[in-house]
Each structure stands twice: as structure tokens, then as C-alpha cells.
Amino acid sequence: QADLTQLVERPVIEAIAQEVSGVAAKRNLDTITLYHRTRASAQYRQAAEHVLAQLEAYGFDNARIRTYPADGETMFGTQKSRPAWEVEFAELWELDEDGNRVERHGSWDAMPLSVAQDSVSGRAVAELVDVGAGTAPEHYAGKDVRGKLVLTVSQPGAVQQLAVAERGAAGIVSYAPNQRSAWWLEDDRLVRWGHLDSFAEPGTFAFMVNLRTASAWKARLAAGERIVLDAEVRATRAPGEYVLVDAAIEGSSDDEIIYTCHLDHPRPGANDNASGCVAELEAARALKALIDQGRLPQPARTLRFIWPAEIEGSLIYLVERDDRDRIRANIH
């Protein structure tokens, strides 16, 4: 068992333990998870503005939102910024033989995860064709997918070129499972976060369904049944802004310790990484309160707290800083 007193004096540990509040962190979590936080989106900005408002309420007079281009052209180091993605409406329905809607399998409003990120506007009332992995030409042998919807176990972006660009499919339905793990494929009700290529032309749309739905469809298709779906997406990919929340407790030297998390994630997910975001927010609140009250001394190094988008937001922040040598450590 770790002995924290080897790192931090016991009175400091006790002061922090008395100040931090899991209830306060949970209240912030309740708000952040209301938003579907894809990078550079309006809902991401709403979550960021909540973090900013809380920091200001906690007494951070230097809290601010930094903005960076999300235009599909600007380069940040080796990374090209991706355009903002906004969805107005998306639904996927199964139709009966008379063309009547019988079951809804996707809804942006009810479950944003059912729409693959970077989908563009499109509409198709079309047959479903099972292409399996759909990542090699042989997966399409003897199958006519032009104007139809392809069902695949792969991520939508992995079949986008072969199915849509080369063979004229109208759109994609994916049941890609979660990353391989000890519980991989155990829960057939889960819907995976799907992704399309942010820069591929022509753009397309994709819906994500769970393994249970896909398995039933595959069995019916294999038995010769015809399945028709009504798919509609109204969405845009356009220039926007990455936003990053930044606040600091100033230290007595030029060195910085940076606390990070990542604010982007689907609604209503909590642990990747809204829980990290609110843990960081509560750490910032507690440390500032203790320092302002004189219960902890002013830090020797500046404690900086940032809330970026995962990976790309962190990279943008580092590339844009011209004083990276000030950063002595990162607590993520």
C-alpha cells in the first residue's frame, strides 16, 4: 500500500481530504454528460462554457477559452485540423413490405452514438446488403451495392472508399464492436462510437447499430429475406473552432505543472473522459480554495489546468505554445 506521506506531508493530505467534494464533482458530471461533445461542435462548446463558468465561480480570474481553427486546412505540427461537425437530424427506420415504418434503429436525438461521426447529409430508402468486413474487393463479389445500404462489422471509415466511392452504395450501417478486451462482444446491446473519414470525398453517412440487431439482420438476409431501411441524415462539416479551457494558480517560478483531461466524448458517457474532466475541475477548485484560505502555501510552480479535445486538442495546445520548456510535468 502506498504511503502518501513519503510524497506529501500529512497536514497537506488532511487539508485536501477535508476540502474535496465528490458531490460537487458529480454535479458537474451531471451537466457535462448532457452534451454530445464531438470536437469543435456547438455541444462541445456548451460543455466548455460550463467548465469556464465553474472556474470563474471558484475564483479563477484568469480562466479563459482559447480558440483554434477547425477548418480542414490549418496544420498543427503533423496534424491537419478537422472541420466542425454538426447534426440537425438523423433517423434510421426499418420498413415492412408495404413501406411502413415498423422499428426505429437509429436516432440522433435519442442516441447520438447511433450516427457515425463526420456523416454528411443524405437520404436513402434502400435494401440492406451484408458485406461482412467490407474492407477488400472480394467482400463485394457477387453483390450489387449501388444505391443500397451496406451492413458491415468494420468501422464505417474502413469501408467508405470501397463501398461508397467505388461501388456507389448510398450509405453504411455498421455494428463495429468495442475495442478488443476481456469483455469483447459480451454485451450485444452496446452501440460503438463510429467514425467516417473527415476528409474523404465524396462524403457519406453511416449509422451504428448493436450486435443484437445486426445478428438478426444477418440471419434474415442469409435466409433470403429482403430488408429495406429508411435512412436520413441532415448534417454539415464546415469550418469552426476548437475550444480549450485554460486556468492557472500562479506559482513563484516560471515552471508549470499541467493538469489535463479530454472533454470530448459522446452523450451520455461519463468515464471517457467526463469523470476525468470533473475530477480535474474539483482538484482546481479545492487547491485554489485551500491556497486562498492560507491553508496551503502558494505553489513553487504554476499549476495550470486545461480541458482540450483528446489527442488533437492536446497536440494543438502544445504546438501553439512557444514556451513548452516551462512545462515540468503533466498530470492527466
Side-chain angles (χ1 to χ4, degrees):
Q1 184 174 352
D3 182 2
L4 289 179
T5 59
Q6 294 179 4
L7 295 173
V8 184
E9 295 178 357
R10 182 170 295 280
V12 175
I13 296 173
E14 291 175 348
I16 293 172
Q18 291 164 4
E19 179 62 35
V20 295
S21 168
V23 173
K26 176 60 166 58
R27 282 203 303 270
N28 282 318
L29 186 79
D30 293 341
T31 298
I32 288 174
T33 54
L34 295 175
Y35 303 115
H36 189 67
R37 306 178 305 281
T38 58
R39 93 278 161 178
S41 69
Q43 291 194 47
Y44 183 102
R45 176 115 195 183
Q46 288 175 287
E49 288 175 347
H50 171 77
V51 172
L52 177 65
Q54 293 300 96
L55 289 166
E56 291 173 342
Y58 299 157
F60 283 88
D61 56 11
N62 57 14
R64 59 176 173 164
I65 284 182
R66 298 172 179 262
T67 61
Y68 309 96
D71 54 14
E73 297 180 1
T74 303
M75 296 294 296
F76 295 99
T78 59
Q79 176 180 277
K80 181 187 290 188
S81 69
R82 293 187 289 168
W85 178 61
E86 304 285 359
V87 179
E88 176 189 346
F89 172 88
E91 285 190 349
L92 177 70
W93 285 86
E94 184 174 347
L95 307 182
D96 64 17
E97 58 185 13
D98 296 320
N100 300 309
R101 292 179 168 183
V102 292
E103 186 173 359
R104 188 174 64 179
H105 294 284
S107 166
W108 170 257
D109 185 58
M111 183 187 286
L113 267 184
S114 62
V115 185
Q117 187 165 317
D118 284 313
S119 289
V120 298
S121 293
R123 175 76 190 276
V125 177
E127 289 185 47
L128 187 65
V129 179
D130 182 10
V131 296
T135 54
E138 54 266 28
H139 299 154
Y140 300 86
K143 299 175 181 179
D144 177 15
V145 301
R146 183 167 297 278
K148 299 175 183 176
L149 297 167
V150 296
L151 178 66
T152 179
V153 69
S154 301
Q155 273 286 340
V159 304
Q160 187 170 350
Q161 178 64 27
L162 286 174
V164 178
E166 296 183 14
R167 290 168 176 80
I172 300 164
V173 180
S174 168
Y175 57 103
N178 284 335
Q179 294 98 328
R180 190 177 292 273
S181 64
W183 52 91
W184 192 62
L185 296 178
E186 282 187 4
D187 190 341
D188 63 1
R189 300 166 300 171
L190 296 179
V191 175
R192 175 79 168 94
W193 194 358
H195 300 267
L196 287 159
D197 188 326
S198 303
F199 303 104
E201 295 295 343
T204 188
F205 65 82
F207 282 90
M208 307 300 296
V209 297
N210 62 35
L211 178 60
R212 181 177 299 179
T213 297
S215 296
W217 279 344
K218 287 171 68 68
R220 290 165 57 192
L221 291 170
E225 187 174 342
R226 182 174 176 264
I227 297 174
V228 177
L229 302 178
D230 183 348
E232 182 178 5
V233 175
R234 297 198 294 269
T236 58
R237 292 183 301 184
E241 289 182 330
Y242 291 97
V243 298
L244 178 149
V245 187
D246 179 305
I249 299 172
E250 296 296 337
S252 57
S253 74
D254 288 337
D255 289 349
E256 291 190 358
I257 306 297
I258 295 192
Y259 292 74
T260 60
C261 56
H262 70 87
L263 190 55
D264 55 323
H265 197 69
R267 188 192 89 205
N271 283 334
D272 185 9
N273 181 246
S275 57
C277 292
V278 300
E280 181 180 336
L281 188 55
E282 179 59 14
R285 185 203 66 78
L287 289 172
K288 180 160 180 56
L290 291 169
I291 292 167
D292 288 350
Q293 295 163 15
R295 297 165 65 191
L296 290 182
Q298 199 73 17
R301 299 177 177 89
T302 292
L303 306 180
R304 185 168 301 280
F305 306 88
I306 67 170
W307 286 262
E310 185 179 14
I311 303 175
E312 59 189 311
S314 301
L315 178 59
I316 290 169
Y317 175 77
L318 288 171
V319 167
E320 289 294 282
R321 279 195 64 159
D322 57 8
D323 59 348
R324 292 186 294 276
D325 57 341
R326 293 182 59 188
I327 302 171
R328 312 312 297 174
N330 173 226
I331 299 172
H332 185 70

mmCIF file of all heavy atoms in Angstrom, residues 268-292:
data_model
loop_
_atom_site.group_PDB
_atom_site.id
_atom_site.type_symbol
_atom_site.label_atom_id
_atom_site.label_comp_id
_atom_site.label_asym_id
_atom_site.label_seq_id
_atom_site.Cartn_x
_atom_site.Cartn_y
_atom_site.Cartn_z
ATOM 1 N N PRO A 268 -24.354 9.799 -23.408
ATOM 2 C CA PRO A 268 -24.193 10.358 -22.078
ATOM 3 C C PRO A 268 -22.972 9.791 -21.346
ATOM 4 O O PRO A 268 -22.982 9.675 -20.130
ATOM 5 C CB PRO A 268 -25.475 9.885 -21.394
ATOM 6 C CG PRO A 268 -25.673 8.505 -21.955
ATOM 7 C CD PRO A 268 -25.165 8.563 -23.378
ATOM 8 N N GLY A 269 -21.936 9.416 -22.078
ATOM 9 C CA GLY A 269 -20.790 8.740 -21.475
ATOM 10 C C GLY A 269 -20.130 9.560 -20.376
ATOM 11 O O GLY A 269 -19.954 10.764 -20.489
ATOM 12 N N ALA A 270 -19.749 8.879 -19.301
ATOM 13 C CA ALA A 270 -19.165 9.565 -18.149
ATOM 14 C C ALA A 270 -17.675 9.316 -17.997
ATOM 15 O O ALA A 270 -16.935 10.213 -17.623
ATOM 16 C CB ALA A 270 -19.884 9.136 -16.870
ATOM 17 N N ASN A 271 -17.220 8.106 -18.290
ATOM 18 C CA ASN A 271 -15.857 7.754 -17.883
ATOM 19 C C ASN A 271 -14.788 7.963 -18.939
ATOM 20 O O ASN A 271 -13.624 7.670 -18.683
ATOM 21 C CB ASN A 271 -15.823 6.300 -17.404
ATOM 22 C CG ASN A 271 -16.405 6.170 -16.005
ATOM 23 O OD1 ASN A 271 -16.381 7.124 -15.245
ATOM 24 N ND2 ASN A 271 -16.938 5.020 -15.676
ATOM 25 N N ASP A 272 -15.145 8.459 -20.103
ATOM 26 C CA ASP A 272 -14.126 8.666 -21.136
ATOM 27 C C ASP A 272 -14.435 9.956 -21.890
ATOM 28 O O ASP A 272 -14.836 9.899 -23.025
ATOM 29 C CB ASP A 272 -14.102 7.478 -22.091
ATOM 30 C CG ASP A 272 -12.978 7.558 -23.116
ATOM 31 O OD1 ASP A 272 -12.116 8.441 -22.994
ATOM 32 O OD2 ASP A 272 -12.980 6.747 -24.044
ATOM 33 N N ASN A 273 -14.265 11.107 -21.250
ATOM 34 C CA ASN A 273 -13.490 11.308 -20.047
ATOM 35 C C ASN A 273 -14.129 12.385 -19.181
ATOM 36 O O ASN A 273 -13.451 13.187 -18.549
ATOM 37 C CB ASN A 273 -12.056 11.661 -20.435
ATOM 38 C CG ASN A 273 -11.114 11.875 -19.283
ATOM 39 O OD1 ASN A 273 -10.643 12.972 -19.092
ATOM 40 N ND2 ASN A 273 -10.868 10.868 -18.498
ATOM 41 N N ALA A 274 -15.463 12.422 -19.153
ATOM 42 C CA ALA A 274 -16.124 13.441 -18.335
ATOM 43 C C ALA A 274 -15.742 13.312 -16.871
ATOM 44 O O ALA A 274 -15.580 14.311 -16.168
ATOM 45 C CB ALA A 274 -17.642 13.341 -18.493
ATOM 46 N N SER A 275 -15.579 12.078 -16.384
ATOM 47 C CA SER A 275 -15.198 11.899 -14.982
ATOM 48 C C SER A 275 -13.814 12.484 -14.728
ATOM 49 O O SER A 275 -13.561 13.071 -13.668
ATOM 50 C CB SER A 275 -15.240 10.417 -14.604
ATOM 51 O OG SER A 275 -14.397 9.657 -15.451
ATOM 52 N N GLY A 276 -12.906 12.338 -15.691
ATOM 53 C CA GLY A 276 -11.591 12.956 -15.557
ATOM 54 C C GLY A 276 -11.682 14.467 -15.572
ATOM 55 O O GLY A 276 -10.969 15.163 -14.841
ATOM 56 N N CYS A 277 -12.578 15.005 -16.414
ATOM 57 C CA CYS A 277 -12.743 16.457 -16.508
ATOM 58 C C CYS A 277 -13.252 17.043 -15.201
ATOM 59 O O CYS A 277 -12.781 18.098 -14.755
ATOM 60 C CB CYS A 277 -13.708 16.793 -17.639
ATOM 61 S SG CYS A 277 -13.061 16.419 -19.281
ATOM 62 N N VAL A 278 -14.226 16.374 -14.586
ATOM 63 C CA VAL A 278 -14.764 16.923 -13.341
ATOM 64 C C VAL A 278 -13.832 16.660 -12.169
ATOM 65 O O VAL A 278 -13.819 17.428 -11.188
ATOM 66 C CB VAL A 278 -16.189 16.411 -13.058
ATOM 67 C CG1 VAL A 278 -17.121 16.820 -14.190
ATOM 68 C CG2 VAL A 278 -16.225 14.908 -12.831
ATOM 69 N N ALA A 279 -13.036 15.590 -12.234
ATOM 70 C CA ALA A 279 -12.017 15.374 -11.202
ATOM 71 C C ALA A 279 -10.989 16.501 -11.244
ATOM 72 O O ALA A 279 -10.561 17.021 -10.203
ATOM 73 C CB ALA A 279 -11.345 14.019 -11.397
ATOM 74 N N GLU A 280 -10.590 16.877 -12.470
ATOM 75 C CA GLU A 280 -9.656 17.988 -12.623
ATOM 76 C C GLU A 280 -10.281 19.298 -12.155
ATOM 77 O O GLU A 280 -9.622 20.117 -11.488
ATOM 78 C CB GLU A 280 -9.214 18.109 -14.080
ATOM 79 C CG GLU A 280 -8.220 19.221 -14.317
ATOM 80 C CD GLU A 280 -7.794 19.321 -15.771
ATOM 81 O OE1 GLU A 280 -7.880 18.320 -16.509
ATOM 82 O OE2 GLU A 280 -7.377 20.425 -16.162
ATOM 83 N N LEU A 281 -11.548 19.499 -12.477
ATOM 84 C CA LEU A 281 -12.238 20.721 -12.068
ATOM 85 C C LEU A 281 -12.320 20.806 -10.544
ATOM 86 O O LEU A 281 -12.107 21.879 -9.949
ATOM 87 C CB LEU A 281 -13.632 20.742 -12.692
ATOM 88 C CG LEU A 281 -14.467 22.015 -12.562
ATOM 89 C CD1 LEU A 281 -13.727 23.228 -13.084
ATOM 90 C CD2 LEU A 281 -15.793 21.823 -13.302
ATOM 91 N N GLU A 282 -12.597 19.688 -9.906
ATOM 92 C CA GLU A 282 -12.675 19.683 -8.449
ATOM 93 C C GLU A 282 -11.291 19.852 -7.816
ATOM 94 O O GLU A 282 -11.152 20.510 -6.773
ATOM 95 C CB GLU A 282 -13.337 18.389 -7.958
ATOM 96 C CG GLU A 282 -13.445 18.257 -6.452
ATOM 97 C CD GLU A 282 -14.246 19.373 -5.786
ATOM 98 O OE1 GLU A 282 -14.950 20.132 -6.488
ATOM 99 O OE2 GLU A 282 -14.151 19.491 -4.552
ATOM 100 N N ALA A 283 -10.260 19.285 -8.445
ATOM 101 C CA ALA A 283 -8.898 19.493 -7.961
ATOM 102 C C ALA A 283 -8.534 20.970 -8.030
ATOM 103 O O ALA A 283 -7.936 21.529 -7.090
ATOM 104 C CB ALA A 283 -7.911 18.661 -8.775
ATOM 105 N N ALA A 284 -8.895 21.609 -9.147
ATOM 106 C CA ALA A 284 -8.614 23.039 -9.295
ATOM 107 C C ALA A 284 -9.347 23.839 -8.223
ATOM 108 O O ALA A 284 -8.764 24.742 -7.592
ATOM 109 C CB ALA A 284 -9.029 23.502 -10.686
ATOM 110 N N ARG A 285 -10.619 23.516 -8.012
ATOM 111 C CA ARG A 285 -11.409 24.247 -7.007
ATOM 112 C C ARG A 285 -10.808 24.074 -5.617
ATOM 113 O O ARG A 285 -10.613 25.063 -4.869
ATOM 114 C CB ARG A 285 -12.857 23.747 -7.003
ATOM 115 C CG ARG A 285 -13.778 24.533 -6.064
ATOM 116 C CD ARG A 285 -15.006 23.729 -5.649
ATOM 117 N NE ARG A 285 -14.662 22.572 -4.834
ATOM 118 C CZ ARG A 285 -14.352 22.637 -3.535
ATOM 119 N NH1 ARG A 285 -14.322 23.808 -2.903
ATOM 120 N NH2 ARG A 285 -14.059 21.539 -2.862
ATOM 121 N N ALA A 286 -10.520 22.832 -5.244
ATOM 122 C CA ALA A 286 -10.044 22.553 -3.894
ATOM 123 C C ALA A 286 -8.681 23.198 -3.633
ATOM 124 O O ALA A 286 -8.458 23.805 -2.579
ATOM 125 C CB ALA A 286 -9.976 21.046 -3.672
ATOM 126 N N LEU A 287 -7.772 23.068 -4.590
ATOM 127 C CA LEU A 287 -6.437 23.644 -4.398
ATOM 128 C C LEU A 287 -6.512 25.163 -4.294
ATOM 129 O O LEU A 287 -5.854 25.773 -3.443
ATOM 130 C CB LEU A 287 -5.522 23.224 -5.533
ATOM 131 C CG LEU A 287 -5.103 21.746 -5.536
ATOM 132 C CD1 LEU A 287 -4.357 21.396 -6.816
ATOM 133 C CD2 LEU A 287 -4.241 21.423 -4.312
ATOM 134 N N LYS A 288 -7.309 25.788 -5.154
ATOM 135 C CA LYS A 288 -7.420 27.251 -5.088
ATOM 136 C C LYS A 288 -8.043 27.692 -3.775
ATOM 137 O O LYS A 288 -7.587 28.669 -3.152
ATOM 138 C CB LYS A 288 -8.230 27.784 -6.269
ATOM 139 C CG LYS A 288 -8.360 29.313 -6.223
ATOM 140 C CD LYS A 288 -8.703 29.913 -7.541
ATOM 141 C CE LYS A 288 -8.821 31.433 -7.452
ATOM 142 N NZ LYS A 288 -7.605 32.081 -6.904
ATOM 143 N N ALA A 289 -9.077 26.984 -3.333
ATOM 144 C CA ALA A 289 -9.724 27.348 -2.067
ATOM 145 C C ALA A 289 -8.731 27.252 -0.911
ATOM 146 O O ALA A 289 -8.662 28.154 -0.056
ATOM 147 C CB ALA A 289 -10.929 26.446 -1.821
ATOM 148 N N LEU A 290 -7.972 26.174 -0.869
ATOM 149 C CA LEU A 290 -7.015 25.977 0.229
ATOM 150 C C LEU A 290 -5.908 27.019 0.201
ATOM 151 O O LEU A 290 -5.469 27.503 1.252
ATOM 152 C CB LEU A 290 -6.433 24.572 0.146
ATOM 153 C CG LEU A 290 -7.411 23.425 0.450
ATOM 154 C CD1 LEU A 290 -6.807 22.085 0.069
ATOM 155 C CD2 LEU A 290 -7.793 23.437 1.931
ATOM 156 N N ILE A 291 -5.453 27.374 -0.998
ATOM 157 C CA ILE A 291 -4.398 28.393 -1.120
ATOM 158 C C ILE A 291 -4.938 29.763 -0.762
ATOM 159 O O ILE A 291 -4.309 30.543 -0.023
ATOM 160 C CB ILE A 291 -3.802 28.363 -2.541
ATOM 161 C CG1 ILE A 291 -3.019 27.061 -2.761
ATOM 162 C CG2 ILE A 291 -2.890 29.563 -2.780
ATOM 163 C CD1 ILE A 291 -2.656 26.777 -4.199
ATOM 164 N N ASP A 292 -6.133 30.089 -1.252
ATOM 165 C CA ASP A 292 -6.730 31.395 -0.948
ATOM 166 C C ASP A 292 -6.988 31.558 0.557
ATOM 167 O O ASP A 292 -6.895 32.669 1.092
ATOM 168 C CB ASP A 292 -8.039 31.573 -1.715
ATOM 169 C CG ASP A 292 -7.821 31.792 -3.210
ATOM 170 O OD1 ASP A 292 -6.659 32.000 -3.612
ATOM 171 O OD2 ASP A 292 -8.808 31.745 -3.962
#
